[in-house]
Amino acid sequence: WTHLVGIKPQRGRISSWPDREAFNGITCIGTLAATVVDAAALLDACAGSHPGDRHRPVLPSRRYVDAARAGPPRRLRIALSLRPPWVLHTITPSPEIIAAVRAVADQLAGLGHEVEERNLRYGPMGPFFVPRGSVGLWDWCQRVPDRSLLDPRTVASARFGRYMAGPVLGVARAAERPLASFFGRAFRRFDVVLTPATAVPPLPAGASREMSRWQTEMLMTSACPYSWPWNLLGWPAVSVPAGFVGDSLSVGAQLGGSANSEPLLLALAAELESVSGWADVPLPVVTAQERAG
């Protein structure tokens, strides 16, 4: 939604210290920039572990910025997966989003990569994601100096997380390895997974202001269903601009990989940038008066 490149690196690639991990491992610290090389250079500057970190992935043999400049080492096998992961309600991606991501797939095919439309099977990730996020929110709220300033929806979600701590959280964490094994089978066939970054174009400012907690959660999960599986597994993904829809609204595509695949994803994203030219296209500015008429 920002017309920027976003890197979600391997869990622990950027230390979350003084927290051993952020939100029970599902929150990732990444980088945002106008170009892939800039985002990769920022990742080089930020990457590193603290001795107390729970997750300490091994650094690659070369800098991320060098990987981005080098280009993919070979013809890649890319899965175009448009169906969102399963959650408790039906999610229907916007036709505009689907069209934009298909155009990205066409660009990748034009670069010589093998692109196959294949809706991947994520498995039952949702039920195991919720406890980790809810307990993380409860922990975070205990640090807020004045909890009376919190949105009532945040307080309600945090209270729910309080009851998820203990055995429920333990089960959710234990499920990560079998879920990674299940979903990871896709990478026996494919090198990269291409999905929309979001299911809908940018929402109007204040869209959730008058909503209940449940309505707000439904809005969030319906708008952004594609990225959280990579948070749950702790694997890398890169979001890239995919053009504009509607009233000059920016939308994106996500390149997802398996564990420690940042160099490959950055090389592919940079190659895509070289033909799409998104870095040379300024983000359109639409005033309220123009939008009204």
Side-chain angles (χ1 to χ4, degrees):
W1 289 343
T2 59
H3 199 58
L4 295 173
V5 176
I7 303 175
K8 179 187 296 181
Q10 180 73 20
R11 179 183 294 149
R13 183 71 68 201
I14 299 176
S15 176
S16 59
W17 194 260
D19 293 326
R20 290 193 65 210
E21 63 176 359
F23 269 63
N24 300 296
I26 63 167
T27 292
C28 178
I29 301 173
T31 63
L32 284 169
T35 68
V36 176
V37 167
D38 285 351
L42 185 56
L43 180 58
D44 280 319
C46 296
S49 299
H50 185 278
D53 287 342
R54 183 166 185 163
H55 310 281
R56 301 177 64 191
V58 177
L59 289 173
S61 58
R62 59 176 175 169
R63 298 185 306 165
Y64 293 114
V65 70
D66 293 333
R69 288 171 173 155
R74 55 185 168 81
R75 184 172 186 250
L76 300 178
R77 300 164 299 176
I78 301 172
L80 172 60
S81 186
L82 299 173
R83 184 176 63 197
W86 178 84
V87 291
L88 293 177
H89 62 286
T90 302
I91 297 175
T92 304
S94 162
E96 295 175 304
I97 295 286
I98 297 300
V101 177
R102 286 192 187 279
V104 173
D106 290 342
Q107 290 177 323
L108 291 169
L111 288 166
H113 300 293
E114 176 189 341
V115 181
E116 177 183 337
E117 186 164 343
R118 176 77 65 87
N119 287 320
L120 302 182
R121 299 176 62 195
Y122 293 89
M125 292 190 184
F128 300 105
F129 182 89
V130 172
R132 294 174 70 164
S134 298
V135 175
L137 182 60
W138 168 255
D139 292 339
W140 178 83
C141 284
Q142 305 318 296
R143 312 177 193 179
V144 177
D146 186 353
R147 275 176 263 176
S148 68
L149 299 177
L150 292 174
D151 189 294
R153 293 168 292 186
T154 301
V155 174
S157 295
R159 286 174 180 163
F160 178 73
R162 180 181 183 181
Y163 298 105
M164 293 289 102
V168 176
L169 176 60
V171 170
R173 297 200 68 124
E176 182 180 313
R177 182 167 293 181
L179 287 170
S181 178
F182 179 85
F183 182 66
R185 289 183 293 183
F187 291 99
R188 300 175 189 172
R189 171 73 178 86
F190 300 102
D191 301 298
V192 175
V193 177
L194 171 64
T195 75
T198 65
V200 297
L203 301 173
S208 66
R209 186 172 294 132
E210 302 301 326
M211 289 185 177
S212 67
R213 173 195 163 208
W214 177 253
Q215 291 171 325
T216 303
E217 291 184 355
M218 292 301 99
L219 177 68
M220 291 189 297
T221 55
S222 296
C224 303
Y226 293 101
S227 58
W228 62 263
W230 270 264
N231 290 67
L232 180 70
L233 301 177
W235 294 350
V238 177
S239 175
V240 297
F244 303 96
V245 301
D247 196 7
S248 300
L249 300 173
S250 177
V251 297
Q254 176 180 249
L255 302 171
S258 56
N260 301 299
S261 60
E262 294 102 323
L264 180 66
L265 296 176
L266 291 170
L268 181 61
E271 186 184 34
L272 185 59
E273 180 183 321
S274 71
V275 297
S276 67
W278 70 64
D280 299 322
V281 179
L283 183 64
V285 177
V286 181
T287 67
Q289 288 181 331
E290 290 172 328
R291 191 180 300 276

